[in-house]
Amino acid sequence: MRIQRDVGNLVFLAGLFVAGCGYNLRMAALPKPEVVQNAPEQMPVIPDPNPAVTTVPEGYRVEVVMKDLVYPTSVEFDDKQNMYIAESGYSYGDPSAPARVLRVSPDGTIGIAANWLMGPVTDLLWYKGLLYISHRGKVSVLDSDGGIRDLITGLPSLGDHHNNQMTAGPDGKIYFGQGTVTNSGVVGLDNFLYLWLPLYPHICDKPARDVTLNGTKFVTINPFIMGGGKGTAVVRTGAFSPFGEVSRKTVPGVTKANGTILRMDPDGSNLEVYAWGFRNPFGVMWGKDGQLYASEHGFDERGSRPIANDTDDLYIIKEGVWYGWPDYAGGIPVTDKRFKPKDRPQPEFLMEEHPPVEKPFMTFQPHIAVMKIGFDKGGRFGNSKHLFMAFFGDATPITGQQQMEHPGHKIVRINLQNQHTETFFANAEGKRTDLQANLITGELPPSIAGLRRPLDVVFSPDGQAMYVVDFGVMEALSTRVPFPKPFPGTGVIWRIVPEGATVAIPPAGLSALPGRSVAERQTDNR
């Protein structure tokens, strides 16, 4: 058997014994920032969202439906024109916010529809009179009496990625994405930083089909000894194995598998794998052309098996097909020299044999963070060939070293016939809303009041309005230990409507702050 040594981790070992400092642990797990900055002692106050600093095509206008949300991830409408908003309850850098679903009535009254969910809440779907909720490890429904009834439990979502967007298929089944536990198939120190490894040291990725491994092991520092735990200073971890363990040569496939598109009957029965071999299929949506589309997050340059320069992708999903993870990136083997990280080994295969691999329908720049997908229902924003997608924006240096300016932080419209991509909703100055260069001085760019971290794009049932879910301000700090810094209460629901159209459900200018009347919330945004 071959052993692949993580040079960065061995350097960390010396630092651990010499300095005895936990920060070295994190530096070994994540890419080193090119420019190291100290975080400010006091974070800046983020201004209210302002449509005036955003831009949309001629003939449309932008308004703020609701502000002051804590990590919103989804919006959905029921048959009575009530709007539901999911607040995640979890963000990288803040795992303890409330996970809940708000209900906004047509007159603007705000209440809590569901509480005590398992964060992150990643998606909502209204289907056949029920509100489906995708939250960590579960798919549940909101009953008419306000109770939560679990349909699917035990999904493998305790790691880096979770169960994601849901969509109803032409066969009447519900499809959803399921992300992987790790970045590239091996549990490592980066997962200790993501805080789940100390809590769930037994978990690892589970394949959907039987896979035969080539036996590669990864030598990694054992972070559990820092708190007086037992064990050796270094451990060997294999693919599809818990930290410090090596699986047998053949790993059996399971239904509740990582890196999959799963489908189920509306009552939660007959769960099955529809497609597999993904890293994090976050957006999943059936198009008007009868095709199933999925957005895919590429590999990060982190952990025991870092992979550089992988693109984010859009796939057309075919039943039973393998999409390449953990050994192919965008349909290309990770052994290709383009994926070699700086000063780290060339990635090697983990699997001994590979099924035929599917190529992406489209590729985008690395770490652009392609998120959820939407299709216009009424023809007011395009035609049946147009797909809309949210670009969240990169998290450099946590995900890897930035090689170019990443054009995230916007909603794009894609013509599926010719793959032409155009910006539909973005900030007027055309720049990213990152705070990195402005945190020390406190001089925030005007765009910080605009579109921050778009995550979802949804159309009203009548097709007259587009709703954009903006997660809020989130920065990856280039400190000595790269660290995510989200700003709670900066989430926004934006609405885009054609000029001249009257959309009053719900009224604009609402606030998610508790204890405020509708009139006060509306006055806040005037």
Side-chain angles (χ1 to χ4, degrees), residues 55-399:
T55 181
V56 290
E58 185 177 355
Y60 297 91
R61 72 174 190 271
V62 182
E63 55 190 22
V64 174
V65 177
M66 185 179 292
K67 64 174 185 173
D68 303 321
L69 290 158
V70 179
Y71 315 140
T73 55
S74 184
V75 65
E76 185 62 295
F77 295 86
D78 67 14
D79 299 333
K80 298 180 180 179
Q81 298 184 309
N82 293 302
M83 182 174 73
Y84 296 86
I85 301 171
E87 288 188 309
S88 174
Y90 173 96
S91 170
Y92 298 122
D94 183 4
S96 59
R100 61 184 186 174
V101 177
L102 304 179
R103 181 191 289 112
V104 185
S105 65
D107 67 359
T109 302
I110 303 171
I112 297 176
N115 215 340
W116 302 106
L117 300 170
M118 295 294 293
V121 184
T122 54
D123 197 45
L124 304 175
L125 172 68
W126 181 263
Y127 185 60
K128 292 187 175 181
L130 291 173
L131 183 70
Y132 289 78
I133 304 171
S134 178
H135 53 136
R136 187 193 288 256
K138 298 181 178 183
V139 176
S140 309
V141 292
L142 179 65
D143 283 334
S144 58
D145 61 359
I148 298 296
R149 176 163 49 92
D150 296 336
L151 301 180
I152 299 290
T153 61
L155 295 171
S157 297
L158 296 177
D160 286 4
H161 309 117
H162 316 102
N163 42 297
N164 300 316
Q165 187 175 20
M166 302 173 289
T167 181
D171 55 2
K173 293 179 179 289
I174 294 176
Y175 294 69
F176 59 94
Q178 173 64 56
T180 56
V181 169
T182 64
N183 172 46
S184 59
V186 182
V187 181
L189 292 181
D190 55 327
N191 308 126
F192 198 84
L193 171 63
Y194 275 47
L195 301 180
W196 62 257
L197 180 55
L199 300 176
Y200 312 109
H202 61 285
I203 69 169
C204 61
D205 288 296
K206 299 177 181 180
R209 303 287 183 262
D210 294 356
V211 297
T212 301
L213 303 177
N214 61 16
T216 300
K217 301 176 184 178
F218 296 81
V219 178
T220 311
I221 297 305
N222 180 9
F224 293 101
I225 64 173
M226 296 180 62
K230 296 180 180 179
T232 58
V234 295
V235 297
R236 289 169 172 80
T237 305
F240 295 99
S241 305
F243 185 74
E245 299 181 19
V246 178
S247 294
R248 54 186 181 274
K249 189 174 181 62
T250 298
V251 181
V254 297
T255 299
K256 294 179 180 178
N258 294 102
T260 53
I261 305 293
L262 300 173
R263 70 176 176 185
M264 67 181 192
D265 289 342
D267 63 359
S269 62
N270 297 317
L271 181 70
E272 59 184 338
V273 175
Y274 188 74
W276 66 300
F278 302 94
R279 181 177 176 273
N280 190 30
F282 195 83
V284 179
M285 183 63 64
W286 281 95
K288 295 182 178 180
D289 56 3
Q291 302 271 24
L292 180 60
Y293 293 89
S295 61
E296 166 77 328
H297 295 161
F299 291 101
D300 290 341
E301 190 179 342
R302 61 175 169 90
S304 298
R305 187 177 178 248
I307 296 172
N309 307 315
D310 186 17
T311 59
D312 280 9
D313 306 308
L314 176 66
Y315 282 100
I316 294 176
I317 306 303
K318 303 174 183 178
E319 185 174 2
V321 171
W322 182 64
Y323 286 79
W325 190 89
D327 284 348
Y328 283 73
I332 303 168
V334 298
T335 53
D336 188 283
K337 62 182 181 180
R338 75 186 73 181
F339 300 121
K340 183 185 182 303
K342 183 180 179 180
D343 301 325
R344 302 297 295 275
Q346 175 71 50
E348 298 181 12
F349 286 151
L350 300 179
M351 296 167 57
E352 196 168 87
E353 301 172 348
H354 301 105
V357 63
E358 186 73 11
K359 298 282 187 178
F361 175 69
M362 293 181 67
T363 61
F364 307 95
Q365 288 176 271
H367 308 305
I368 201 170
V370 292
M371 304 302 272
K372 294 186 191 177
I373 299 168
F375 285 92
D376 179 10
K377 296 180 180 180
R380 300 297 299 273
F381 297 85
N383 57 50
S384 61
K385 299 298 182 182
H386 283 139
L387 175 150
F388 291 81
M389 185 186 296
F391 284 1
F392 191 81
D394 73 281
T396 302
I398 293 174
T399 53

